[in-house]
């Protein structure tokens, strides 16, 4: 029904445009304003149904509903990846680079790649480029560095996600052990340069998030750093919440509010993370569950560093206000809550919960915007699954007189409704957890009716955005 209404509406508007001709009258500008269509794509990095359920239980209680839960269109999304050495072969667990590339370009590629094809290393046009070429405004907002893999896939093309600034392009190490080589993408070799350099030369009207340190590096082939280059290219640089709140400009905007990822809202008590249950070795012949010492329950508490930086909602409000000004053709905005994933890698359930809360507030801003801009498609999705699992506080096998404990790490959180939420991490035994290969949700407003099927791939989300915006 909604798609029919939209179709009839657009036919009427086309007739109006035809009758007004090319003259720049008040009526034509009004008509053009009505032709504008906007897409707000909200990505929860690693936000699978486990993460959503854990966060919902903590934030609004087991019977509660988040704003996310009221969105009327609900689909399941297949997350695809392929092997770098054999792009015909499926890989069942993705990373943010390849999955964001599927959302941003429609192409299924290999892990670590940003806007480029597996094996062949071809650059694939992305939504920011397509939308800008069609006259739409474009923006990205993220709680990660604006050069992190998920936002980067929407404006950049590079063989490896770690090449975020000029100093990372060759002979660089990540985690002091993994060698990075993007030398084929150096400008000196005819490439587009690092991700930060590509942001500056991209058609983006706005980029808000973290990642200041990447722009403090010297530009390839120049003595100036990338902040200077960005200003030369017409960006106004923002570095504080005050800068953001007092913004009054029609220039392009680059907001960099932390050296790297923005601080999250919540943390475990005193910074506690998930811990290993400790089985007692004293009574191993007649073990019972009581012989295992589980991590002590704790509450989530505010992360002190969060207070000084803009929230995702504050950045979203500014982005919507800026992008909707003089946007005759509309805009495309990608918003990412990044640390649902990052705090799951480090087994910090409270951190992930706070990031789902931030995403939900950014959605509230988007819904508020839609109330006065109805031709706006809101999509909320995740790029891939993550390690966190909601597990029982008391095992089903507690009566077996066996030492029942997880081989992974466990965190037990006292919820505001005064129960205990147990979250388990068991994909790895090193310092970081892995992603998982589960399908992820796609939630959308009524503009998605007739446009988004109940089961689709991330490439088909790209197709739906292109169709909606007539790109
Ligand atoms: Zn991750």
């Amino acid at each position: 029904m909604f798609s029919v209404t939209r179709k009839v509406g657009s036919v009427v508007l086309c007739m109006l445009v035809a009758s007004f001709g090319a003259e720049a009258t008040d009526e034509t500008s009004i008509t053009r304003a009505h032709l504008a269509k906007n897409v707000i794509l909200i990505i929860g990095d690693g936000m699978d149904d486990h993460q959503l359920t854990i966060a919902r239980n903590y934030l609004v209680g087991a019977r509660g509903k988040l704003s996310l839960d009221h969105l009327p269109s609900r689909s399941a999304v297949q997350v695809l990846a392929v092997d770098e050495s054999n792009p015909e072969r499926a890989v069942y667990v993705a990373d943010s680079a390849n999955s964001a590339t599927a959302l941003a370009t429609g192409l299924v590629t290999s892990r670590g790649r940003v806007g480029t094809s597996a094996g062949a290393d071809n650059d694939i046009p992305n939504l920011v480029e397509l939308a800008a070429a069609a006259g739409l405004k474009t923006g990205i907002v993220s709680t990660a560095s604006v050069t992190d893999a998920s936002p980067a896939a929407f404006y950049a093309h590079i063989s490896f996600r770690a090449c975020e600034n000029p100093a990372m392009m060759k002979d660089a190490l990540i985690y002091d052990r993994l060698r990075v080589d993007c030398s084929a993408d150096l400008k000196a070799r005819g490439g587009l340069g690092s991700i930060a350099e590509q942001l500056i030369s991209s058609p983006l009207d706005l980029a808000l998030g973290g990642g200041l340190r990447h722009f403090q590096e010297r530009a390839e082939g120049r003595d100036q750093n990338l902040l200077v280059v960005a200003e030369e290219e017409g960006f106004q640089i923002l570095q504080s919440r005050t800068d953001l709140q007092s913004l009054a400009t029609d220039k392009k905007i680059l907001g960099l509010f932390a050296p790297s990822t923005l601080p999250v809202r919540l943390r475990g008590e005193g910074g506690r993370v998930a811990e290993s249950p400790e089985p007692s070795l004293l009574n191993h012949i007649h073990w019972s569950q009581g012989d295992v010492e589980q991590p002590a329950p704790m509450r989530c508490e505010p992360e002190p560093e969060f207070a000084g930086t803009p929230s995702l909602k504050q950045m979203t409000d500014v982005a919507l206000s800026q992008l909707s000004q003089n946007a005759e053709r509309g805009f495309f905005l990608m918003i990412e809550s990044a640390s649902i994933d990052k705090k799951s890698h480090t087994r910090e359930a409270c951190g992930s919960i706070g990031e789902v809360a931030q995403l939900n507030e950014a959605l509230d801003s988007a819904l508020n915007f839609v109330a006065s801009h109805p031709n706006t498609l809101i999509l909320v999705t995740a790029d891939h699954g993550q390690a966190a699992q909601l597990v029982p506080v008391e095992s089903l096998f507690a009566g077996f007189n066996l030492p029942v404990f997880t081989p992974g790490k466990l965190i037990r959180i006292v919820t505001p409704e005064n129960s205990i939420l147990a979250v388990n991490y068991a994909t790895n035994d090193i310092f970081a957890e892995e992603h998982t290969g589960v399908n992820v949700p796609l939630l959308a407003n009524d503009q998605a009716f007739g446009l988004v099927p109940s089961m689709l791939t991330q490439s088909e989300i790209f197709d739906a955005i292109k169709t909606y915006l007539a790109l």
Side-chain angles (χ1 to χ4, degrees), residues 27-212:
E27 287 83 354
T28 52
S29 58
I30 291 166
T31 306
R32 284 196 189 127
H34 281 86
L35 279 173
K37 280 195 171 182
N38 315 305
V39 168
I40 304 171
L41 172 62
I42 304 176
I43 300 175
D45 201 309
M47 190 183 69
D48 57 26
D49 274 328
H50 261 292
Q51 296 282 359
L52 279 176
T53 312
I54 291 164
R56 183 187 302 113
N57 284 336
Y58 185 85
L59 295 168
V60 291
R63 294 167 187 268
K65 299 273 195 296
L66 297 163
S67 301
L68 289 161
D69 300 318
H70 294 293
L71 287 171
S73 170
R74 306 178 69 80
S75 309
V77 185
Q78 295 159 276
V79 179
L80 305 180
V82 294
D83 189 88
E84 171 68 13
S85 58
N86 177 9
E88 298 298 309
R89 185 163 61 212
V91 168
Y92 298 119
V93 181
D95 86 323
S96 294
N98 84 267
S99 55
T101 295
L103 291 165
T105 73
L107 181 82
V108 177
T109 190
S110 60
R111 296 194 305 175
R113 282 195 169 276
V114 173
T116 54
S117 62
D121 194 31
N122 292 322
D123 294 352
I124 312 300
N126 56 52
L127 281 170
V128 165
E129 291 162 347
L130 295 170
L136 283 80
K137 291 191 167 187
T138 57
I140 56 157
V141 172
S142 177
T143 56
S145 295
V146 292
T147 50
D148 203 25
S150 303
F154 286 86
Y155 63 81
H157 310 276
I158 202 157
S159 56
F160 190 48
R161 57 183 290 174
C163 302
E164 291 180 68
N165 65 60
M168 293 298 292
M169 293 296 282
K170 62 173 185 175
D171 301 327
L173 292 176
I174 51 174
Y175 298 122
D176 289 331
R177 60 181 63 218
L178 179 59
R179 189 159 293 282
V180 176
D181 182 14
C182 294
S183 53
D185 294 302
L186 283 166
K187 292 182 174 183
R189 294 181 58 178
L192 298 170
S194 65
I195 293 171
E197 290 164 296
Q198 292 190 47
L199 186 150
I200 293 169
S201 58
S202 78
L204 279 171
D205 296 292
L206 171 144
L208 302 175
L212 176 64

Side-chain angles (χ1 to χ4, degrees), residues 273-454:
V273 305
E275 298 150 11
S276 295
E278 296 288 343
S280 167
L281 299 178
L282 298 175
N283 191 21
H284 63 280
I285 298 171
H286 299 292
W287 262 348
S288 68
Q289 194 185 23
D291 295 321
V292 178
E293 192 179 329
Q294 306 284 353
M298 64 172 181
R299 296 179 186 278
C300 296
E301 65 181 27
E303 166 62 57
E305 283 183 41
F306 179 78
T309 46
S311 67
L312 188 61
K313 177 180 169 52
Q314 287 168 335
M315 293 192 291
T316 298
D317 286 336
V318 168
L320 291 171
S321 164
Q322 289 291 131
L323 294 178
S324 59
Q325 283 173 29
N326 306 317
E328 293 191 348
R329 186 66 175 76
F331 65 80
F332 170 74
L333 171 63
M334 192 286 294
I335 299 164
E336 183 201 25
S337 182
S339 291
I340 302 167
D341 170 80
K342 293 184 191 300
K343 291 301 180 184
S344 193
H345 280 300
T346 52
R347 308 177 179 111
E348 296 175 86
C350 294
S352 295
I353 290 168
E355 286 284 280
V356 174
Q358 288 225 68
L359 181 144
N360 199 60
E361 291 169 4
L363 171 62
D364 286 338
S365 287
L367 290 167
N368 190 41
F369 177 83
V370 167
S372 55
H373 300 79
N375 289 341
T376 303
L377 171 65
I378 300 177
L379 299 168
V380 184
T381 191
D383 49 356
H384 55 72
Q386 248 292 1
Q389 294 184 90
L390 176 48
V391 295
V393 173
E394 183 179 358
S395 169
L396 283 179
F397 310 103
F400 279 27
N401 265 358
L402 289 169
V404 184
F405 61 96
T406 174
K409 303 272 196 299
L410 186 68
I411 196 161
R412 300 202 297 167
I413 299 169
V414 180
T415 60
E417 63 182 351
N418 209 26
S419 189
I420 294 182
L421 185 61
V423 182
N424 186 46
Y425 299 87
T427 62
N428 252 347
D429 60 359
I430 62 164
F431 60 90
E433 295 287 330
E434 303 275 359
H435 302 159
T436 63
V438 68
N439 56 237
V440 295
L442 173 66
L443 316 171
N445 67 345
D446 58 13
Q447 297 291 296
F449 292 164
L451 181 72
V452 172
S454 55

